[in-house]
Amino acid sequence: MLHPSPERFRAALGRFATGVTIVTTRAADGAPVGLTVNSFNSVSLQPPLVLWSLDVRSRALAAFTHATHWAVHVLGAQQQALAERFARRDVDRWAGVPWTPNAEGVPLLPGCCAYLECRARSRYPEGDHVILVGEVLRCQHDDGAGALLYHGGRFFTAAP
């Protein structure tokens, strides 16, 4: 069976506009862990389930594989710099970034459009990624916040 090259496949997927999220948890040593994710999606309303995928080469893989809880932050229009920071590998993503722990100790970032606080439910290895499914325990949102969007390798903003 023939497949498209990874570059061609990535370019085709880049034509699908997505929201931008940061997913956070705590490492085994208690350090905050987070990364920018646009592979986020809803799964079910009853029970409330969401999913996202993580590259098996990610330095955050161990933290998320062993995490019992994590949080999805839907980023607002004014949070492009934060999205870019948490997408980089060569910086301390948390240096100078304010956060507060939720009831399970998971870092929550301020000023997001929405938050979904999740209990890790399932993990499925598929190809070069792991699909992580979480059960939403708590969520909140800001009706007046504009969204940060990603399309074709660029960020865009959308008004509410």
Side-chain angles (χ1 to χ4, degrees):
M1 172 183 293
L2 295 177
H3 293 113
S5 70
E7 297 79 19
R8 187 173 189 86
F9 185 50
R10 180 182 287 259
L13 292 175
R15 303 320 305 159
F16 180 66
T18 67
V20 182
T21 69
I22 292 176
V23 183
T24 61
T25 194
R26 297 290 278 275
D29 66 1
V33 176
L35 63 156
T36 301
V37 171
N38 70 343
S39 61
F40 171 74
N41 207 341
S42 63
V43 175
S44 169
L45 292 176
Q46 292 296 326
L49 302 175
V50 296
L51 68 76
W52 61 286
S53 62
L54 179 61
D55 192 310
V56 297
R57 298 168 297 178
S58 172
R59 287 183 257 168
L61 182 64
F64 283 104
T65 297
H66 299 294
T68 59
H69 294 82
W70 35 266
V72 178
H73 305 74
V74 179
L75 299 187
Q78 78 287 0
Q79 293 180 301
Q80 179 176 336
L82 192 64
E84 291 169 341
R85 179 186 190 107
F86 275 76
R88 293 183 59 186
R89 292 183 173 94
D90 60 344
V91 299
D92 176 357
R93 295 173 179 165
W94 294 94
V97 175
W99 60 274
T100 56
N102 72 359
E104 293 77 29
V106 174
L108 296 180
L109 301 166
C112 297
C113 284
Y115 303 88
L116 299 106
E117 300 173 55
C118 302
R119 175 180 22 245
R121 184 169 166 130
S122 308
R123 295 172 195 88
Y124 303 99
E126 287 293 339
D128 59 6
H129 279 65
V130 174
I131 300 165
L132 296 109
V133 178
E135 181 176 357
V136 179
L137 302 176
R138 293 174 295 278
C139 63
Q140 57 183 324
H141 67 280
D142 177 353
D143 284 332
L148 183 62
L149 306 175
Y150 195 72
H151 177 264
R154 295 183 16 214
F155 289 102
F156 295 87
T157 57

